[in-house]
Amino acid sequence: MPDRAYVLINVLPGQTSDVVRALSEIKEIKTIDPCWGKPDIFAIVEVPDQDALTQLVLTKIHAIEGVAQTDTHLVYRLGK
């Protein structure tokens, strides 16, 4: 089962559409929701492990022009 995370993305003014377009080209990103307020975008990602999540956020998402800041929340599974 892949790891899932919420990536909250703050964008520079006027660049939300461009950032959404760039995010939509990343296969690990399953949902992209631009929103009013902060953060500007909520993204749900699925990755094989935490190392892949680190690489996704640091090398792909942070590399997008217009991305100002991210806040990542890894979903964990509760034991039964």
Side-chain angles (χ1 to χ4, degrees):
M1 174 179 271
D3 284 339
R4 186 173 59 183
Y6 295 88
V7 182
L8 288 57
I9 304 168
N10 291 324
V11 177
L12 297 174
Q15 296 193 19
T16 300
S17 294
D18 293 336
V19 171
V20 167
R21 213 172 355 267
L23 291 169
S24 69
E25 297 177 11
I26 300 173
K27 66 178 173 61
E28 295 91 349
I29 299 178
K30 304 305 177 188
T31 304
I32 304 165
D33 292 317
C35 301
W36 295 111
K38 294 289 180 187
D40 300 297
I41 300 169
F42 285 77
I44 298 175
V45 304
E46 289 184 356
V47 291
D49 53 46
Q50 290 183 31
D51 291 333
L53 177 61
T54 300
Q55 290 305 308
L56 171 68
V57 173
L58 296 181
T59 65
K60 292 184 180 179
I61 295 176
H62 281 194
I64 296 171
E65 186 174 341
V67 170
Q69 182 180 21
T70 61
D71 185 13
T72 303
H73 299 264
L74 182 63
V75 175
Y76 65 90
R77 295 170 193 85
L78 293 173
K80 292 186 178 187

